[in-house]
Amino acid sequence: GLPITIQDGPRFPWRGVLLDTANHYFPLSDVLRTVDALSMNKFNVLHWHIVDSYSFPFQSTSTPGLGKGAWTPDAVYSPQDVRTVRDYALERGVRVVLEVDMPGHAFSWGVGVPNVTVACPAYGKTLDIGHVNAVPLDPSSHATYDVVDGLLRELVALLDASEGYLHLGGDEIEEGCWNASAAVVAWKANMGLASWTAVKRYFYRKVWSRTVAPLGKKAVTWEDLYLDDRSGALDFNSSNVPFTPDEAVIEVWTDTKYLSQAVAAGYDAIYAAAWYLDRQQPVDGVVAWEWLDTMWQMYDIEPEEHVVPSASSGKVLGGEASMWSEQVDTATLDARMWPRASAVAERLWSPKSCTDHEYAAWRLREHRCRMVASGVGAGPFWSEHCVVQGGRAAQSVLEVQARRVGL
């Protein structure tokens, strides 16, 4: 009969998971189940990386030909599917932030709309990523900006009106493909653009002024757009910086030190660098014997370790665990994500002082069983600990497996 008071609240406002539905297509049921898991782990952002080089799984109404870039005609999301994910997520306290990666990773766009990508058939065949992953949008084509404008406006209309961010990608742009196109090289010279970095800025300023700004959104991009071509370091004093701190948020994915540098330059930033769920070593140089033990590497990351707040600095909005799907499909999705992403969830929610592995493991064992009992196929990180909870979670494992094979 004693009164019980619970005081709790998130450390960061942006607590996200990136789900890549392009390298492998996930049925709508997988996406919705992932939203359930996000909510159970107090994540509040689904960063939906909806299209990429290898497939364009969205049936656009503004440019119907884009959907021809899907793996198969059935492996696409309809506008109603996007609305369904939006509504389902909002009911569970999760926002949907869509990423339309550009101008790189655009091969799939050109499958059905060939006049928006660059033709460089001989380029990239010897790269480890291959030719398909090396084809960008054509910055010299008016059609490119028409298609981008129509697509972004269409997607924004499908999302919650209060969502203030639109992710515009910007990573791994293969300049070599542009350089292999005589038409693009000639256009670059006629425009007086001195470098490919200047071309990137031109592209993004045009997308910003024509589409993103009129829609009243703030852009999110990967850090690559701010890297100096020669030094490889972030350069916020360059005349080719594509966005001001008022216009964009920077997502850091390759080096933790870039987070503090972006914030010091006045940009709000999102941390993702050591929280890639597809990596067997998410933290460079740190090795774990058991695969799932990599979650403790992620747990030990302190996003604000090198951040020095000042009157002119930006903020660390939070971070994201990223599930890139090159080696993940519907059969393996849940176990690859959970419970490792749960470690990231705690880092983004709980106080900075919450770092005890043993205490976290004790709680995570219970939580993993709750996820399994709820239909999320979270993997075990030690021997059969769900079985000793009275059998309910173990029974749920069997039920989940049976449902997936149609028994």
Side-chain angles (χ1 to χ4, degrees):
L2 294 176
I4 297 175
T5 301
I6 298 175
Q7 291 183 329
D8 196 12
R11 179 181 171 192
F12 294 105
W14 190 298
R15 304 178 308 282
V17 166
L18 178 151
L19 181 62
D20 165 19
T21 60
N23 283 294
H24 276 95
Y25 170 80
F26 295 101
L28 187 61
S29 59
D30 286 354
V31 180
L32 298 180
R33 190 177 65 257
T34 298
V35 171
D36 285 333
L38 262 64
S39 180
M40 292 183 68
N41 286 272
K42 297 185 179 179
F43 284 110
N44 69 340
V45 176
L46 172 64
H47 173 170
W48 190 353
H49 185 88
I50 193 168
V51 299
D52 208 303
S53 307
Y54 288 90
S55 78
F56 200 106
F58 175 66
Q59 189 54 64
S60 170
T61 56
S62 62
T63 309
L66 289 171
K68 294 180 179 179
W71 288 111
T72 69
D74 295 330
V76 295
Y77 304 102
S78 68
Q80 182 55 49
D81 289 338
V82 176
R83 293 189 194 97
T84 296
V85 174
R86 173 201 68 191
D87 293 342
Y88 193 84
L90 286 173
E91 289 173 357
R92 289 155 180 77
V94 177
R95 298 157 39 213
V96 177
V97 176
L98 283 170
E99 179 186 355
V100 181
D101 199 1
M102 60 179 79
H105 296 162
F107 181 90
S108 64
W109 299 53
V111 173
V113 191
N115 60 336
V116 300
T117 53
V118 175
C120 55
Y123 177 75
K125 292 183 178 179
T126 60
L127 300 176
D128 61 346
I129 56 176
H131 173 70
V132 170
N133 212 25
V135 175
L137 293 174
D138 186 347
S140 70
S141 170
H142 293 297
T144 297
Y145 302 99
D146 291 341
V147 170
V148 167
D149 178 71
L151 177 64
L152 293 182
R153 289 179 182 276
E154 175 182 6
L155 290 172
V156 165
L158 297 175
L159 295 179
D160 184 63
S162 65
E163 178 51 53
Y165 296 91
L166 188 58
H167 205 305
L168 303 178
D171 65 319
E172 300 178 330
I173 302 166
E174 286 293 329
E175 300 167 1
C177 185
W178 284 339
N179 202 45
S181 167
V184 174
V185 170
W187 168 83
K188 172 174 170 281
N190 290 336
M191 295 295 295
L193 299 171
S195 66
W196 294 118
T197 304
V199 170
K200 296 173 197 174
R201 183 184 189 279
Y202 174 92
F203 173 86
Y204 274 105
R205 292 315 300 173
K206 194 153 186 175
V207 171
W208 170 263
S209 61
R210 176 172 175 176
T211 309
V212 181
L215 287 171
K217 304 301 178 183
K218 194 167 188 176
V220 184
T221 72
W222 300 104
E223 76 208 25
D224 307 45
L225 297 179
Y226 301 85
L227 295 174
D228 179 78
D229 280 344
R230 294 179 297 277
S231 68
L234 292 179
D235 182 6
F236 295 105
N237 296 315
S238 169
S239 60
N240 292 320
V241 166
F243 298 109
T244 69
D246 291 334
E247 295 170 341
V249 171
I250 298 175
E251 184 159 13
V252 172
W253 71 280
T254 65
D255 197 321
T256 297
K257 69 183 180 184
Y258 290 154
L259 187 76
S260 58
Q261 294 173 12
V263 170
Y267 290 85
D268 289 344
I270 301 166
Y271 181 80
W275 291 337
Y276 268 39
L277 299 171
D278 59 315
R279 290 190 61 181
Q280 61 181 356
Q281 291 178 230
V283 178
D284 292 333
V286 182
V287 180
W289 181 270
E290 299 276 5
W291 184 75
L292 270 179
D293 284 347
T294 57
M295 67 185 173
W296 301 117
Q297 300 172 22
M298 302 181 196
Y299 189 76
D300 288 341
I301 289 294
E302 171 44 55
E304 294 184 305
E305 182 178 3
H306 302 293
V307 173
V308 180
S310 71
S312 61
S313 67
K315 301 184 296 296
V316 177
L317 296 180
E320 295 183 344
S322 300
M323 188 67 266
W324 299 100
S325 66
E326 287 91 341
Q327 295 185 351
V328 177
D329 64 10
T330 188
T332 58
L333 176 63
D334 286 5
R336 291 288 183 90
M337 293 184 71
W338 312 103
R340 290 197 305 159
S342 302
V344 177
E346 172 144 310
R347 182 56 52 237
L348 293 171
W349 179 279
S350 297
K352 187 176 182 179
S353 59
C354 190
T355 58
D356 188 311
H357 286 201
E358 185 175 352
Y359 179 49
W362 176 77
R363 291 179 288 112
L364 187 56
R365 282 197 298 268
E366 301 280 344
H367 186 59
R368 180 255 165 174
C369 290
R370 285 194 294 268
M371 284 194 284
V372 171
S374 298
V376 176
F381 62 93
W382 203 242
S383 300
E384 297 298 342
H385 50 262
C386 279
V387 174
V388 302
Q389 305 302 315
R392 180 183 176 194
Q395 181 64 36
S396 293
V397 171
L398 297 176
E399 290 171 355
V400 169
Q401 292 172 341
R403 285 199 297 271
R404 289 189 177 175
V405 298
L407 297 179

